[in-house]
Amino acid sequence: MVSETSLSSSKRSPASTPKFCNSFTTRIFADVAGDITIVVDGESFLLHKFPLVTLSGKIRKMVAEFKGSNVSNLELPNFPGGHQTFELAMKFCYGMNFEITTFNVSRLRCAAEYLEMSEEYREQNLISRAEIYLNEIVFQSLQKSVEVLSTCEMLPPNSVDEIEISNGCVEAIAMNACKEQLVSGLSKLECDGESRELNEDCVAWWVEDLSVLRIDYFQRVICAMGRMGVRSDSIIASLMHYAQSSLKGIGKCQFWNPSRTNSSPTGVEKDQRMIVETLVSLMPTAKSSCIPLTFLFGMLKMSIMLGATIPCRLELERRIALRLEMVSLDDLLIPSLQSGDSLFDVDTVHRLLVNFLQRVEEEETEDYGYESDGLGTAGHASLLKVGQLIDAYLAEIAPDPYLSLQKFVGLIEILPDYARVIDDGLYRAVDIYLKAHPTLTEQECKKLCKLIDSQKLSQEACNHAAQNERLPVQMVVQVLYFEQLRLKNALSGSSGDGLLSQRISSGVPSAAMSPRDNYASLRRENRELKLEISRMRVRLSELEKEQMFMKQGMIDKAGNGRTFLTSLSKGIGRIAIFSGQGGGKRQKSGRKSRGSEGKTGRSRRHSTRHSLEAVLHLPKYESTNTITRQLKTGAVKW
């Protein structure tokens, strides 16, 4: 080992004393004093020319250039690995034993290339020794290849790429991963029902080892694994583990810090943004690849927070939209970074819906057959699930005072009518929005309430709407009118068969239409029939509940003089789900346009409401004609 004792004369100052070889070297060259000083990274080494020029072609050439001037000082700039690696190379030149390990082999190989220690000058030179260790020890083990590749990060890129150490390690890692996959079968992906999450216990053992690599080396390893056929579940597990280990420093406070939106990103944020963009680009593209939705949403939130590129965000949104029906409500609640805007990122959810509907449309156009799909098809079931999810999302963001009416209406209108069998969830969201935004004008309230189909409300929702003071009187009239029709059909034994037969007859394709238009018309009519059947099933279940209630009431209170119609009116008047949001007096903080209403207009609305509510308890049904006549003559206008 290099000693700190100086062989120079006593006139040399201690600060400038160069290093020299240990007692072993001193014993070999006991009669020869050091004749050359080599400076590496500011460190001086007092050495002998003879062993150096014997093995190093570079030092031989440098000494030959200054042969006439009797050179005694040389400097080696940009030496790979620094003076510690140069010290190991000098030990090799002096014949001293030292151990080659995974932590110094890459530096020794680069140093040997720099010093030109090849077979041309001596057999089994340092280049050959390092290559033997790499081929026989390092490249045979996945773990050792990762360790050597991680040490290459501290070396100059041109030196590492020139001698292809990094390429050899990358190929060795991918090859050993394939061997592990074929032999042990440890890399497996278990899907847990609808969530289809990764089971960490069955993930390949080498996934954690790859997380120590720099992002550029990690990218090269993942690409090599993809070329060699490593399973996508192992690649996904590697991406997830790398993201968890490298992006864990991102705190929640960065989401809500308004000052960071105006300031330029720091160096750490730039590195994190590059990691996010790289990981997204490495995600497998095969349809069989199952990336957990929680990971996709986590990456999406990070890409928004770190300001990643638009293609990166759009790719994540596209992948999420492919399985939007499996998304949970908490995943959609993405915080907004825009100051003064709504608390949640509504625009991102809107784009997710657009991508999802495009996927549904593409799946429908790919089906060229004329046979209609069954009621329980995957496309229709997914659309119904997404409709319920969006209604729940609307109810969650409705209390936000900063949420504009335009964004709220945009989320409602983007879904087609057949995405909702009943509008109870939509009605609840609209009611919450009206309560949280009392300053809406009368026209804005009408615009919002027109999006609710009164015929698709359940009995509980209709009972609540009939007593809801926040709704426009026109909607209350519609709700009462359709409730009267429903009651009449229920007592007369009709359940909408006339409307259903009318829709079936209207779906006959015309001979004047082209086959493509006929097919589109048939699919449209088929969709409407599916929706109508779903509604009839909901109505049937409601009637069965009411029948059980009336039977129980007749058994318990037999002989009390209660008639069938009295029990029915009692059942209709009950409020179940929406009982907590019902009646009461109108809030004093009315809307702007409603403030101008006088006592006369308010009393007219109340008298109209109470007169129409009384219709539900009449035993005769001539009142239906009265309501219809009022609607036609303009007595009650929408």
Side-chain angles (χ1 to χ4, degrees):
M1 185 175 182
V2 176
S3 174
E4 299 293 336
T5 309
S6 175
L7 291 177
S8 61
S9 62
S10 60
K11 295 182 180 180
R12 187 183 299 273
S13 61
S16 60
T17 300
K19 295 182 179 181
F20 66 97
C21 297
N22 63 3
S23 57
F24 175 77
T25 307
T26 306
R27 186 170 65 251
I28 296 178
F29 300 95
D31 299 332
V32 182
D35 55 1
I36 187 172
T37 301
I38 300 179
V39 180
V40 177
D41 290 346
E43 294 287 340
S44 299
F45 293 85
L46 182 59
L47 303 168
H48 304 84
K49 293 181 183 179
F50 175 73
L52 301 186
V53 298
T54 304
L55 278 77
S56 173
K58 185 176 183 64
I59 295 179
R60 177 182 296 186
K61 294 175 184 177
M62 295 176 68
V63 171
E65 290 179 1
F66 299 95
K67 186 175 181 180
S69 58
N70 194 16
V71 62
S72 61
N73 289 280
L74 295 177
E75 184 176 358
L76 300 178
N78 301 323
F79 191 85
H83 65 275
Q84 297 92 345
T85 306
F86 179 77
E87 183 176 343
L88 292 177
M90 293 302 100
K91 286 183 179 182
F92 183 83
C93 292
Y94 279 95
M96 301 174 61
N97 293 326
F98 64 91
E99 184 180 2
I100 299 179
T101 64
T102 56
F103 299 101
N104 62 21
V105 64
S106 60
R107 293 181 296 161
L108 283 174
R109 178 64 180 84
C110 292
E113 189 72 20
Y114 182 91
L115 294 173
E116 300 179 12
M117 301 176 68
S118 61
E119 300 292 314
E120 180 181 352
Y121 303 98
R122 199 186 74 175
E123 294 183 357
Q124 296 294 315
N125 209 342
L126 187 56
I127 291 180
S128 177
R129 294 284 299 275
E131 288 289 346
I132 292 174
Y133 183 83
L134 287 172
N135 294 326
E136 297 183 359
I137 305 296
V138 174
F139 294 160
Q140 303 302 320
S141 169
L142 188 150
Q143 186 176 6
K144 293 183 183 300
S145 300
V146 173
E147 292 175 358
V148 173
L149 187 59
S150 62
T151 60
C152 294
E153 300 172 0
M154 299 175 292
L155 297 172
N158 54 350
S159 300
V160 176
D161 295 337
E162 183 179 355
I163 58 180
E164 296 185 349
I165 295 181
S166 58
N167 290 336
C169 291
V170 167
E171 296 297 325
I173 293 172
M175 183 62 67
N176 283 286
C178 286
K179 292 179 180 178
E180 289 287 336
Q181 174 179 283
L182 295 174
V183 174
S184 62
L186 293 178
S187 48
K188 292 182 180 180
L189 181 67
E190 283 195 2
C191 298
D192 184 14
E194 296 179 356
S195 62
R196 301 175 68 87
E197 297 290 341
L198 280 173
N199 189 347
E200 296 181 357
D201 296 335
C202 296
V203 174
W205 59 269
W206 44 263
V207 167
E208 296 183 4
D209 295 341
L210 298 184
S211 60
V212 302
L213 298 176
R214 201 170 58 189
I215 186 61
D216 54 342
Y217 286 141
F218 179 79
Q219 181 180 13
R220 293 169 61 180
V221 169
I222 295 299
C223 292
M225 286 183 175
R227 291 193 306 268
M228 293 189 180
V230 176
R231 293 177 182 172
S232 59
D233 55 354
S234 298
I235 293 178
I236 293 171
S238 302
L239 298 177
M240 293 176 59
H241 195 276
Y242 192 92
Q244 291 173 358
S245 60
S246 59
L247 300 175
K248 60 183 178 182
I250 301 180
K252 293 183 179 179
C253 58
Q254 291 178 272
F255 266 107
W256 304 102
N257 187 4
S259 60
R260 67 174 300 280
T261 57
N262 301 326
S263 60
S264 57
T266 61
V268 176
E269 289 179 344
K270 290 181 179 179
D271 294 340
Q272 291 174 339
R273 180 174 60 191
M274 182 179 64
I275 290 174
V276 170
E277 294 173 356
T278 304
L279 294 180
V280 173
S281 65
L282 293 176
M283 290 181 179
T285 57
K287 293 184 179 181
S288 58
S289 304
C290 181
I291 304 177
L293 287 170
T294 53
F295 176 63
L296 291 177
F297 271 103
M299 296 297 292
L300 179 60
K301 293 175 183 178
M302 290 181 185
S303 64
I304 295 174
M305 182 184 60
L306 296 173
T309 59
I310 294 179
C312 174
R313 302 185 202 179
L314 294 180
E315 175 64 19
L316 289 170
E317 292 174 3
R318 184 190 67 83
R319 290 178 177 271
I320 294 174
L322 293 176
R323 296 151 58 199
L324 189 60
E325 65 275 8
M326 302 169 60
V327 172
S328 64
L329 177 59
D330 293 337
D331 292 332
L332 291 181
L333 298 177
I334 304 174
S336 176
L337 298 180
Q338 300 295 331
S339 57
D341 199 359
S342 57
L343 298 178
F344 300 99
D345 194 343
V346 182
D347 296 333
T348 299
V349 178
H350 190 275
R351 289 194 298 271
L352 291 176
L353 275 175
V354 171
N355 290 331
F356 172 76
L357 294 176
Q358 288 178 353
R359 188 204 82 183
V360 173
E361 189 68 21
E362 290 174 358
E363 290 178 354
E364 290 183 354
T365 54
E366 288 177 359
D367 188 6
Y368 297 105
Y370 283 90
E371 295 184 0
S372 60
D373 300 329
L375 181 63
T377 56
H380 188 245
S382 301
L383 196 58
L384 293 179
K385 290 181 180 179
V386 171
Q388 295 176 357
L389 175 66
I390 296 303
D391 288 346
Y393 177 77
L394 290 170
E396 194 71 23
I397 66 174
D400 182 8
Y402 301 103
L403 179 60
S404 64
L405 179 64
Q406 180 182 2
K407 289 187 177 182
F408 190 75
V409 171
L411 280 178
I412 299 175
E413 291 179 336
I414 190 173
L415 281 176
D417 179 70
Y418 55 88
R420 297 181 177 93
V421 176
I422 57 176
D423 277 7
D424 286 13
L426 178 60
Y427 168 72
R428 177 173 175 268
V430 170
D431 184 49
I432 295 175
Y433 188 84
L434 292 176
K435 185 177 181 180
H437 300 78
T439 57
L440 291 177
T441 64
E442 190 73 23
Q443 295 298 325
E444 289 175 337
C445 290
K446 289 181 180 179
K447 177 182 178 181
L448 186 57
C449 292
K450 280 183 179 180
L451 301 175
I452 303 175
D453 189 352
S454 302
Q455 300 183 69
K456 294 167 64 176
L457 293 177
S458 65
Q459 181 177 335
E460 291 81 4
C462 289
N463 292 336
H464 183 272
Q467 305 178 46
N468 194 346
E469 295 289 340
R470 290 183 287 271
L471 299 180
V473 66
Q474 292 87 345
M475 181 177 178
V476 177
V477 171
Q478 270 196 349
V479 170
L480 294 173
Y481 173 70
F482 288 120
E483 269 300 295
Q484 177 68 12
L485 290 181
R486 185 188 306 175
L487 179 62
K488 180 179 178 180
N489 292 333
L491 295 179
S492 63
S494 173
S495 59
D497 294 337
L499 179 62
L500 181 61
S501 60
Q502 180 182 358
R503 292 191 177 185
I504 293 176
S505 61
S506 63
V508 179
S510 173
M513 298 174 62
S514 64
R516 183 184 183 88
D517 294 337
N518 282 335
Y519 175 63
S521 176
L522 286 173
R523 292 197 65 89
R524 185 165 51 253
E525 294 298 334
N526 180 42
R527 187 181 299 157
E528 294 178 0
L529 291 177
K530 290 178 183 178
L531 183 62
E532 187 63 29
I533 293 174
S534 300
R535 292 178 187 172
M536 290 175 61
R537 289 181 176 177
V538 174
R539 300 303 183 197
L540 181 60
S541 62
E542 292 179 0
L543 289 175
E544 290 176 352
K545 292 180 182 178
E546 290 300 327
Q547 184 182 10
M548 293 178 60
F549 172 79
M550 289 185 293
K551 286 182 178 180
Q552 187 66 30
M554 293 174 65
I555 294 174
D556 295 341
K557 299 181 179 181
N560 293 336
R562 298 206 170 195
T563 62
F564 175 77
L565 292 177
T566 307
S567 300
L568 181 60
S569 62
K570 278 284 187 177
I572 294 177
R574 289 184 301 109
I575 300 176
I577 298 176
F578 300 93
S579 58
Q581 304 177 10
K585 295 182 180 181
R586 180 180 295 274
Q587 297 177 354
K588 293 183 180 181
S589 57
R591 303 174 182 85
K592 295 180 180 179
S593 62
R594 296 184 184 183
S596 61
E597 293 182 353
K599 295 182 178 179
T600 305
R602 195 171 286 136
S603 62
R604 184 185 302 114
R605 291 170 59 191
H606 282 288
S607 61
T608 304
R609 189 187 310 273
H610 294 314
S611 62
L612 290 173
E613 287 176 354
V615 174
L616 295 176
H617 302 282
L618 292 178
K620 298 181 180 180
Y621 299 100
E622 288 78 10
S623 55
T624 305
N625 299 329
T626 305
I627 295 177
T628 307
R629 186 165 55 253
Q630 290 178 358
L631 292 174
K632 291 182 178 180
T633 56
V636 181
K637 298 181 180 179
W638 179 257

